[in-house]
Amino acid sequence: MEQDKVVIFDTTLRDGEQSPGCSMNLTEKLAVAKQLEKLGVDVIEAGFPVSSPGDFESVKMIAEAITESTVCGLARATKKDIEACGEALKGAKKARIHTFIATSPIHMEYKLKMSPDEVVKRAVESIKLAKTYTDDVEFSCEDASRSEIPFLCRIVEAAIDAGATTINLPDTVGYAVPWEFGKFVKAVIDGTPNSDKAVFSVHCHNDLGMAVANSLDAVHHGARQIEVALNGIGERAGNTSLEEIVMALETRKDELHCTTGINTKEIYRSCRLVSQTTNMPIPANKAIIGRNAFLHESGIHQDGVLKKKETYEIMNPASIGISVENLVLGKHSGRHAFHVRMKELGFDLEGDALLNAFEDFKKLCDRKKEVLDDDLIALVDAQMATADDSYEFDHLYVFTGTDLTSTATLGVKVDDEVKEIATLADGPVDAACKAVEEILGPQYRGAFDMHSYRIEAITGGTDAQAEVNIKVSYKDKTFNGHGLSTSILEASAKSYLNAINKAVNWDQMNHKKEED
């Protein structure tokens, strides 16, 4: 049977970023957007331009940088929002404006304080205005799953007549169940006379843990776009997970008769990048990408897998980009071998980026007997995370022991000059982090509140690289830090310094805007 194409609309950078503590800076958003393009996402929802100057700039920057995927901006059904979207998307090769208004009785009465007629009128006016900026306009009926079907058919028909090319029916509060939601989507499609002139989409939240199931049932009943986020991040309990949807469609083509344009070999890399950037760990038992997803502990399972993998594995880990070879490089490996392996892992490094990565690789070889693929991926990710840092880690010496006050001596490079300071604290990690604050000067001393510290080994063994992720708050805003080293103390100092770099850069940008 012929496979239908399902459009993958990714909202990691918009709805995903609305997860508490998941905010990203401009550089991080651009890196994620480029990886989404590499992944083969059809539509990247880059942000909500009217919501803040930062969101406007990020949408504008992504729109100008992305050439393969469509770049989308979100707008309420208001003139100001749509104009901001149109302006931000001006440089996009392929642009979409996504406008929405609530359609459920409870939202119309209590939130909008508008009559159904007024809601239809506002939707039509907004779509017509959006069409003056781009032919690709998506219209969403917010809280669709709690809306009345006859009214949905009415407003959807009017929206398509006004020029909407995609109609989104969101389960905004995660209220639906699969056997109900699929029929609901079909009822709206069947009840709308001009439904053949638009693609129908769903955007499901995971409040009851059924976002993926609801989305798949919607596809089974005629939806041909699914709105997703990497790792399922998003408001409250999150969004439909991109990796789960894509691999479900890929693995069960026999039942769902649909395919996507996603390069599945980029899934693991994409999910890991978002996890690191947002400082949200991937649970070990997470479907598709969790650490345990392809591990077998039961003796019966192990016996079956050894005889034939398909006995207990419905997917090949290589199909999502998990290396099964895990080739080893060492201190005798040359730059060419390093470059070739990085290309095989999906990193096309050139110029200074290649030289810097190779230099870090050689330093790692002096500390670690075997450098595995996971080490190389982590090494390049760490470089990306610290690319814009004004304060650069140089060295750290720590003196500590049982029943001893810890002393940390930290060296940080600022404008090619190394500054050094020593601090005392109860523990070695605390001493290293206090040294970071001290070296920044009195204006930042005590200004940061660390409220999350997470450490993870990249590979096995006592010489494994430690990946430390830290969250700090500064002036009621959260910043994520990332550090990598075979030394936990060094990784901690690097992570704290990375988070504070982001806070300082944000602070300086705010001061500059105030002066302007």
Side-chain angles (χ1 to χ4, degrees):
M1 183 181 285
E2 189 178 342
Q3 305 286 312
D4 279 357
K5 167 78 184 289
V6 172
V7 175
I8 297 298
F9 176 111
D10 185 272
T11 187
T12 302
L13 294 170
R14 202 275 301 168
D15 199 325
E17 203 208 9
Q18 290 171 206
S19 300
C22 281
S23 60
M24 307 176 216
N25 61 31
L26 293 178
T27 303
E28 290 166 338
K29 285 185 178 182
L30 185 58
V32 171
K34 286 182 175 178
Q35 182 59 31
L36 287 169
E37 183 178 39
K38 195 173 183 181
L39 180 62
V41 163
D42 298 290
V43 184
I44 299 171
E45 189 167 49
F48 193 175
V50 82
S51 65
S52 70
D55 239 37
F56 181 92
E57 285 302 318
S58 66
V59 174
K60 184 174 182 292
M61 178 178 63
I62 291 166
E64 291 168 354
I66 299 299
T67 57
E68 298 299 319
S69 303
T70 296
V71 179
C72 176
L74 184 69
R76 291 165 299 191
T78 65
K79 186 172 183 285
K80 181 182 177 185
D81 282 36
I82 291 164
E83 287 176 344
C85 253
E87 189 63 30
L89 293 167
K90 196 182 288 183
K93 186 176 179 182
K94 293 185 281 187
R96 174 182 293 188
I97 292 177
H98 179 193
T99 185
F100 71 95
I101 194 166
T103 54
S104 65
I106 191 170
H107 275 238
M108 288 191 289
E109 181 179 353
Y110 293 102
K111 188 181 83 170
L112 298 179
K113 300 188 186 305
M114 292 169 66
S115 70
D117 288 347
E118 289 172 320
V119 170
V120 173
K121 184 173 182 287
R122 175 75 67 81
V124 167
E125 289 172 349
S126 301
I127 292 163
K128 286 181 176 178
L129 177 60
K131 291 290 282 189
T132 65
Y133 292 99
T134 176
D135 288 332
D136 189 350
V137 175
E138 177 172 339
F139 173 67
S140 279
C141 307
E142 187 186 4
D143 203 23
S145 58
R146 295 193 296 172
S147 301
E148 296 169 344
I149 290 175
F151 178 66
L152 282 175
C153 293
R154 177 189 166 196
I155 195 169
V156 167
E157 181 183 6
I160 295 171
D161 281 343
T165 49
T166 301
I167 298 296
N168 184 39
L169 302 173
D171 183 25
T172 305
V173 292
Y175 181 72
V177 292
W179 53 91
E180 166 194 66
F181 192 64
K183 290 176 184 175
F184 158 78
V185 170
K186 187 176 188 302
V188 177
I189 294 173
D190 290 347
T192 304
N194 54 359
S195 62
D196 61 316
K197 293 184 173 68
V199 173
F200 278 75
S201 169
V202 290
H203 178 122
C204 298
H205 279 265
N206 206 36
D207 298 71
L208 294 176
M210 290 186 277
V212 170
N214 282 330
S215 298
L216 289 174
D217 204 45
V219 167
H220 190 60
H221 285 87
R224 285 298 177 266
Q225 175 178 286
I226 306 178
E227 307 201 355
V228 296
L230 288 165
N231 302 338
I233 64 173
E235 287 273 14
R236 305 182 311 279
N239 286 295
T240 303
S241 164
L242 180 148
E243 59 277 9
E244 292 176 28
I245 280 290
V246 168
M247 292 313 293
L249 291 171
E250 181 71 22
T251 307
R252 294 308 310 272
K253 285 178 182 175
D254 60 320
E255 182 64 31
L256 293 163
H257 310 299
C258 288
T259 188
T260 70
I262 294 295
N263 176 4
T264 63
K265 291 185 177 179
E266 290 292 333
I267 285 177
Y268 182 68
R269 161 87 184 113
S270 303
C271 292
R272 195 183 185 286
L273 175 64
V274 168
S275 173
Q276 176 201 300
T277 303
T278 60
N279 200 2
M280 282 191 76
I282 298 170
N285 66 334
K286 172 76 168 66
I288 315 298
I289 52 164
R291 188 175 63 246
N292 295 348
F294 295 98
L295 297 180
H296 306 278
E297 180 136 345
S298 160
I300 295 171
H301 287 211
Q302 289 173 348
D303 179 61
V305 168
L306 288 170
K307 289 172 179 173
K308 188 170 179 63
K309 284 190 174 184
E310 287 78 7
T311 53
Y312 287 101
E313 283 187 6
I314 61 170
M315 292 170 286
N316 185 335
S319 69
I320 64 163
I322 294 176
S323 175
V324 289
E325 295 175 342
N326 219 355
L327 297 182
V328 178
L329 293 179
K331 61 182 179 181
H332 298 299
S333 300
R335 191 191 308 169
H336 178 68
F338 174 78
H339 190 204
V340 168
R341 190 58 191 152
M342 294 311 296
K343 270 194 169 183
E344 290 170 351
L345 292 172
F347 299 98
D348 196 7
L349 302 176
E350 300 292 345
D352 288 343
L354 175 61
L355 290 173
N356 292 336
F358 185 67
E359 186 180 329
D360 285 350
F361 160 70
K362 283 296 189 181
K363 288 177 184 175
L364 181 59
C365 289
D366 289 334
R367 294 182 169 193
K368 206 172 184 292
K369 292 177 184 176
E370 295 181 337
V371 178
L372 304 176
D373 288 345
D374 286 344
D375 291 312
L376 297 175
I377 292 168
L379 183 147
V380 177
D381 284 346
Q383 271 201 347
M384 287 172 59
T386 58
D388 292 334
D389 286 1
S390 303
Y391 299 89
E392 184 183 344
F393 177 89
D394 188 78
H395 63 265
L396 175 71
Y397 310 117
V398 178
F399 180 73
T400 190
T402 307
D403 300 326
L404 284 177
T405 299
S406 298
T407 305
T409 303
L410 175 71
V412 170
K413 191 181 289 185
V414 188
D415 297 328
D416 294 326
E417 180 187 345
V418 176
K419 294 183 178 180
E420 190 177 75
I421 199 161
T423 56
L424 301 173
D426 291 334
V429 172
D430 190 29
C433 291
K434 279 185 176 174
V436 171
E437 287 190 34
E438 289 290 330
I439 214 160
L440 262 62
Q443 71 270 37
Y444 292 114
R445 200 169 296 147
F448 304 97
D449 179 26
M450 186 196 300
H451 51 83
S452 172
Y453 176 94
R454 179 169 59 89
I455 184 168
E456 190 174 346
I458 296 298
T459 55
T462 55
D463 63 349
Q465 289 193 94
E467 184 177 58
V468 174
N469 289 285
I470 286 174
K471 281 187 182 181
V472 303
S473 57
Y474 174 71
K475 293 185 178 179
D476 297 323
K477 190 170 174 64
T478 302
F479 300 90
N480 299 316
H482 177 77
L484 185 74
S485 174
T486 52
S487 160
I488 291 172
L489 298 177
E490 182 179 322
S492 300
K494 284 180 174 179
S495 182
Y496 196 54
L497 186 61
N498 181 226
I500 287 180
N501 262 296
K502 292 174 184 176
V504 170
N505 288 343
W506 172 81
D507 200 35
Q508 289 172 348
M509 279 178 63
N510 272 4
H511 283 151
K512 189 176 179 183
K513 283 175 186 173
E514 287 171 8
E515 288 170 4
D516 292 344

